[in-house]
Amino acid sequence: MKKITYNLIIIALLCIFGCNKKENNNQPQKENMENIQVSDYGVTAKGDSIKKYTLTNKNGMKVEVINLGGIITSLTAPDKNGKYEDVVLGFTKPEDYFNGNPYYFGALIGRYGNRIANAKFTLEGKTYDIDKNDGPNSLHGGKEGFHTKFWNIETVKDTKFPTLKLTYTSEDGEEGYPGKLTTTVLYTLTDDNALEISYEATTDKATVVNLTQHSYFNLSGNFTKTITDHELQINADKFLPVNETLIPTGEEKAVKGSPFDFTVSKPIGKDINSDDEQLKKGKGYDHNWILNGSGMRSIAKVYHPESGRVMEVLTDEPGVQFYSGNFLDGKFDTKTGGKNEFRTGFCLETQHFPDSPNQPSFPSTELKPGQKYQTKTIYKFSVKK
C-alpha cells in the first residue's frame, strides 16, 4: 500500500512539473499574441479586404501596420512628460492609401528604392526598361511598386517581442524587373521602444534589389508643424550631388563647409534655404549620404527640443536618403488637423545608392540566384529632458 502511495506521489509530482514546464514554454507565445491585435481596416474599390495589425510593447508604445504596401499607418513615441503621440505622417481616410499613396506614406519600397536614371539598366548584357514614373526616371520601383501590393502577414510565434512577418512574391517581369523575387520583411517592436525592420529576398534570375521603408516622421506629434526645428546628426562625411532630375552625377562630395554637413547636430532648417545649387535642385534636402563605417551601427539621430523626443537610426546599409518633405503640397488632411504641407515631415531611408545599376563605382545592388539579400534597420525612440 505504501509502495502504491509513493508511486502515485511521484506520478503527481511529474505531472505538475510537466504541466508547469509546458505552461512556461507557451508563455512568450501567449504574451506576444496579446501584444498583436488584428482588426478590419477597410475595403478597396476592387473589393479586397485590408487588415490592420497593432503591435504594443510593455511601455504602451504602438505600431500599426496594414497588409497593403506593408504600410505603417501609426507609430507612437513618448515625449519628455511620458505622453505617447503618433509621430509618423499618414492619411486620415483608408481610401487615400488604397488610391496609390502618392507620397509613399509609411510604405515598404521595392523592388528598387530611390531613382534609376532613364528608367533602364543593363544586367548581364541585357537592357531592361522599367516603369517611368518620375519624369524620365523610375522612382521607388515604379507606379505599381511594392507600396501598392498586398503583403501576406503572419504573427511570428515564440519570439521575445511582438513580430510580424510580411511576404510578397514579385513575378518575373513585374514593372519591367527581371526574375521572380521573393521578399520577406519582419517588423519587431522591442521593449526599449525600437522598431526593428529586417529584410530578406531571393531570386531565380539575376536582378537588382534595393528595399527600404518610407515613413515620414514629425517628432512634435503635431503634423501641421514643420520639421525645420528638429535637430539632425548624420554620421557621414560625404554625400552624392544630383543633376536636375535628382539622379546622382557620380561625384562623391565632402559635406564639410556645405549645407549638407550634419556631422554635428544642427536644426534641419538652419541651412535649408541657403543659396546652394544642390538644395535648389531638390527644393531642399533629397539626397543620399554616404555613411561612415560598415555593419550595423548608429548612423543618424534626430532630436526635437520642444517634446524631448529622440529618434536614433541604426543600419547595416551603406547609404541613407535624407528627404525633408519638399514635395508635400497640402492636398490631404493630417491626422492632427490641417494639411500635410511643405516640410511637415522628414524621411531617413536607409538603402544602397540611387541609380547604382547604372553606376559601377557605387556599391552593387545585383542579386543572383542562390544568393540571399539581407539587411536590417532600427528606428529607436527615447527622450532627452
Side-chain angles (χ1 to χ4, degrees), residues 34-84:
E34 289 175 351
N35 289 341
I36 300 177
Q37 302 296 324
V38 186
S39 58
D40 292 326
Y41 186 72
V43 179
T44 69
K46 295 179 180 178
D48 296 307
S49 178
I50 305 301
K51 299 291 184 182
K52 181 177 74 175
Y53 298 76
T54 303
L55 284 66
T56 308
N57 70 6
K58 71 175 185 180
N59 308 314
M61 179 178 176
K62 293 184 178 182
V63 178
E64 296 179 354
V65 180
I66 59 174
N67 56 341
L68 176 69
I71 293 168
I72 295 172
T73 60
S74 176
L75 185 157
T76 66
D79 67 4
K80 58 189 174 185
N81 299 314
K83 183 181 179 182
Y84 279 81

Side-chain angles (χ1 to χ4, degrees), residues 204-255:
D204 65 355
K205 186 189 295 185
T207 192
V208 294
V209 186
N210 190 28
L211 306 178
T212 192
Q213 221 292 333
H214 208 294
S215 285
Y216 290 70
F217 298 95
N218 186 324
L219 301 185
S220 74
N222 182 341
F223 303 126
T224 63
K225 292 185 176 181
T226 68
I227 45 79
T228 52
D229 63 340
H230 289 49
E231 296 177 8
L232 171 65
Q233 181 266 331
I234 302 177
N235 184 19
D237 297 323
K238 296 179 180 179
F239 78 104
L240 297 177
V242 295
N243 65 18
E244 289 72 16
T245 65
L246 303 183
I247 294 293
T249 62
E251 179 188 4
E252 296 182 2
K253 190 172 183 179
V255 300

Side-chain angles (χ1 to χ4, degrees), residues 77-79 192-193 308-312 380-384:
D79 67 4
D192 60 351
N193 285 359
R309 290 189 178 95
V310 177
M311 184 178 79
E312 180 180 14
K380 186 175 181 180
F381 296 86
S382 58
V383 293
K384 181 178 174 182

Side-chain angles (χ1 to χ4, degrees), residues 122-133:
T122 300
L123 191 61
E124 296 186 338
K126 183 176 179 180
T127 298
Y128 293 92
D129 292 304
I130 55 178
D131 186 51
K132 190 180 291 186
N133 66 325

Side-chain angles (χ1 to χ4, degrees), residues 15 91 225 289 314 344 358:
C15 181
F91 297 117
K225 292 185 176 181
W289 271 251
L314 303 93
T344 52
N358 294 313

